[in-house]
Amino acid sequence: MDYKKLVTDALFKVLDGQITNEKIYQLLERPKSLDLGDYAFPAFPLAKILHKAPQIIATEIVAEIDQSHFQKIEAVGPYVNFFLDKSFFSADILRQVIEKEADFGNQNLGNGGNVPIDMSSPNIAKPISMGHLRSTVIGNSIAKMLQKVNYNPIKINHLGDWGTQFGKLIEAYKLWGSEEEVKADPINKLLEYYVRFHQEDIDHPELDEEARAWFKKLEDGDEEAIRLWQWFRAESLKSFMKIYDKLGIEFDSFNGEAFYNDKMDEVVEMLEKQHLLKESQGAQIVDLEEYNLNPALIKKTDGATLYITRDLAAAIYRKRTYDFVQSLYVVGNEQTNHFKQLKAVLKQMGKEWADDIHHIPFGLITQGGKKLSTRAGRVILLEEVLDDAVKLAEQQIAAKNPNLANKEEVANQVGVGAVIFHDLKNERMNNFDFDLEEVVRFEGETGPYVQYSHARATSILRKAGNPKFDITDTYQLSDNDSWEVVTKIASFPDVVKRAVQEYEPSVIAKYALHLAKAFNKYYAHTKILVEDEEILSRLALVKSVSIVLNESLRLLGVQAPKEM
RNA sequence: GCGUUUGUAGCUCAGCAGGAUAGAGCAACCGCCUCCUAAGCGGUAGGUCAUCGGUUCGAUUCCGAUCAAACGCACCA
């Protein structure tokens, strides 16, 4: 039932002729405090029309309105406050959640349309850092949210497996590396070579020449170059998979940059055919002045292709392969211009679907206020952070719940959950300075807080013998603490919708915190397992909380242990 | 210099499409486990919502300017 509509209709009967039904619906708001009711109608806009003070209008509305479906309707200053029938409303919501379970909040916004999501995209031969975590977990969460509203997300890991850095890497490996070393500790060794290259080429610029030559060989299909490249790629991927497993994230495609090597000529030809390509300072560009953008560099002076050439090929490939309704790129804020250019070039080419491409930017993670940089060796390794978090979770369990059955599994869920949740709880665009203590915190507004609340709920249900609920059950709850929980639960579908529309996992994370808080308050003040006539209602509430918290965490890509 | 993003309590951040006394969490101080997990609950203290203008009955929220920070500004991705 749409309760806002109920309120609107009641008001409309009184205000017919003064204001439209739609306008009333639009004007209705949720008061900040439940003391002020569940819906409020501000009378200000009517003051002008009726030439009366809004306070008086509010009082008059209350005098005339039909109160039959409400617990109470009262005028407070210039507002008309509506209090829903708590018992009736609670029963209605709880029945819905218990019936639909994890499907509660599902809606059809997408009609099953395909949505490729470009996400994670680490560079081969470099470790996954905290910076990649953002793209990975934001993309993953958006995929789950899209699925919930009936889109078909396709998670694409656009690996950085091509480019001049491989020339540098091969050169560095030939100079200082060995097969045994790499086999023992692939990523770290490869990174070491890479960092050393950048240190030494300051004094030995001839290294750059060599590196360029190696990359040229690679492009020309030189056997040794290809062999090394494939080896580096395979080793890197292996170690990436370890981390993705820990995070519980899977991909539908690993087509990275190299995959588009043979697909760029076609793009260049298309551009030529449409006379979009111009020469400028020896390079091939597409002029984007009419979009107020810098020209897009399609080919370098030496004829080599660039980032945007590859992304054009990828965009076109994805349209052909998936016929997407939207195409998302979860890539850092600093690349905003690149995506503006990408869309502009596609538009120039007459591809109207360029409008379906959305860059989902996010803020930077810094350390000590400085940008992380692989080259400078300033990296925070994601794997280490995850390991630290899990260790800390183990300590927590040892201290708080030493008899827990599957300690190791739970420690993983909680530790990793803390890291993921920390990354998702704030608005995407916010920058944040990395602080390990902050990331692995288990108290306050954290992932473990939500997990703990969920575990409490499931523990109660377990102690109650996991009761079965029936559609014919009637629930009666009317106290304020349970009411706060119920109203939060009821808003879940809207929360999901908003999160999807804004591509913003933090909306879900914030919601989960609020619901957990409301439940913990209820839990602290109300004894649930008491044999009286309301026990089934209380258990239904607990059950609903466990369902919605579990589902919220799932949408964030965070596990919800039943006990912790 | 131009563009983008950000600026709310000591710190980290909420504040949904403008509305009723600006909210959390950390940190500080004080309470609550003979009772379903204290990873919890409650209380105290802490704010010229960067600054100045504009629109509006009403602006933390919308618009403009200024200041500050981060990022970007063709042959890296």
Side-chain angles (χ1 to χ4, degrees), chain A residues 290-527:
Chain A
E290 65 172 290
Y291 297 87
N292 217 353
L293 291 169
N294 283 324
L297 248 178
I298 303 296
K299 272 192 167 183
K300 299 203 277 190
T301 318
D302 64 5
T305 54
L306 283 126
Y307 182 34
I308 196 159
T309 323
R310 207 172 297 276
D311 255 4
L312 282 166
I316 291 167
Y317 174 83
R318 285 173 195 174
K319 184 63 187 175
R320 282 180 187 155
T321 309
Y322 305 114
D323 191 26
F324 56 71
V325 293
Q326 286 181 48
S327 182
L328 307 183
Y329 293 79
V330 185
V331 179
N333 185 16
E334 66 273 15
Q335 292 195 38
T336 299
N337 272 324
H338 165 73
F339 288 102
K340 282 186 183 164
Q341 289 182 322
L342 179 71
K343 291 174 73 164
V345 174
L346 288 167
K347 263 287 167 81
Q348 286 283 286
M349 296 172 77
K351 311 281 188 203
E352 285 308 314
W353 47 263
D355 291 330
D356 302 326
I357 289 179
H358 302 295
H359 175 213
I360 315 295
F362 53 81
L364 220 58
I365 301 184
T366 55
Q367 189 178 31
K370 282 183 190 156
K371 191 178 173 178
L372 302 174
S373 158
T374 322
R375 289 189 187 187
R378 196 169 48 244
V379 282
I380 301 164
L381 303 180
L382 175 56
E383 195 165 13
E384 287 177 7
V385 173
L386 292 176
D387 289 347
D388 286 347
V390 171
K391 252 176 237 151
L392 226 95
E394 281 167 4
Q395 289 168 19
Q396 288 284 314
I397 291 169
K400 313 220 178 212
N401 197 357
N403 298 322
L404 189 64
N406 43 350
K407 284 184 199 168
E408 215 173 295
E409 189 191 350
V410 174
N412 263 295
Q413 295 175 329
V414 172
V416 173
V419 175
I420 296 177
F421 194 93
H422 174 267
D423 208 305
L424 294 179
K425 84 171 169 185
N426 290 327
E427 236 173 283
R428 279 193 340 253
M429 284 303 288
N430 292 358
N431 293 346
F432 73 82
D433 202 64
F434 179 80
D435 177 351
L436 185 65
E437 277 183 43
E438 189 75 30
V439 173
V440 300
R441 175 163 272 144
F442 296 155
E443 289 164 14
E445 297 177 324
T446 65
Y449 174 85
V450 179
Q451 291 174 316
Y452 179 69
S453 312
H454 170 265
R456 277 181 147 180
T458 52
S459 294
I460 288 181
L461 294 168
R462 190 174 52 250
K463 292 208 164 133
N466 289 314
K468 294 272 178 280
F469 297 92
D470 197 277
I471 321 170
T472 57
D473 291 340
T474 53
Y475 309 123
Q476 38 181 348
L477 290 168
S478 54
D479 63 288
N480 285 334
D481 286 337
S482 68
W483 183 239
E484 278 195 47
V485 177
V486 167
T487 52
K488 293 270 185 318
I489 289 174
S491 66
F492 184 60
D494 285 340
V495 168
V496 170
K497 189 174 177 186
R498 210 182 108 217
V500 170
Q501 283 169 343
E502 296 175 17
Y503 304 108
E504 189 51 276
S506 70
V507 169
I508 303 277
K510 291 263 165 47
Y511 170 80
L513 286 169
H514 292 146
L515 176 57
K517 191 171 168 56
F519 174 66
N520 279 324
K521 188 176 170 188
Y522 175 73
Y523 180 97
H525 299 318
T526 310
K527 179 89 178 150

Side-chain angles (χ1 to χ4, degrees), chain A residues 124 159 161 228-237 254 256:
Chain A
I124 294 299
L159 294 172
D161 56 4
L228 286 172
W229 172 76
Q230 281 176 337
W231 181 44
F232 294 157
R233 188 181 190 276
E235 290 295 337
S236 299
L237 210 48
F254 285 92

Side-chain angles (χ1 to χ4, degrees), chain A residues 211-230:
Chain A
R212 258 196 291 277
W214 270 113
F215 183 59
K216 184 85 174 66
K217 279 189 184 178
L218 187 58
E219 285 199 300
D220 293 344
D222 175 84
E223 201 186 315
E224 184 182 12
I226 293 270
R227 185 178 55 78
L228 286 172
W229 172 76
Q230 281 176 337

Side-chain angles (χ1 to χ4, degrees), chain A residues 4 8 11-12 15 18-29 41-42 45-46 49:
Chain A
K4 195 174 173 183
T8 306
L11 278 166
F12 188 64
L15 298 170
Q18 325 290 342
I19 186 168
T20 65
N21 208 305
E22 290 71 31
K23 187 73 186 167
I24 295 173
Y25 191 86
Q26 193 192 334
L27 241 31
L28 278 175
E29 51 188 81
F41 179 74
L46 287 173
I49 307 167

Side-chain angles (χ1 to χ4, degrees), chain A residues 35-55:
Chain A
D35 298 339
L36 297 167
D38 303 299
Y39 288 97
F41 179 74
F44 304 102
L46 287 173
K48 257 189 187 167
I49 307 167
L50 301 172
H51 304 293
K52 282 185 215 168
Q55 290 83 349

Side-chain angles (χ1 to χ4, degrees), chain A residues 180-197:
Chain A
E180 302 77 59
E181 264 189 4
V182 173
K183 275 191 173 149
D185 186 10
I187 291 282
N188 287 328
K189 278 298 161 194
L190 292 173
L191 175 68
E192 205 179 292
Y193 304 153
Y194 187 75
V195 171
R196 182 165 172 192
F197 182 94

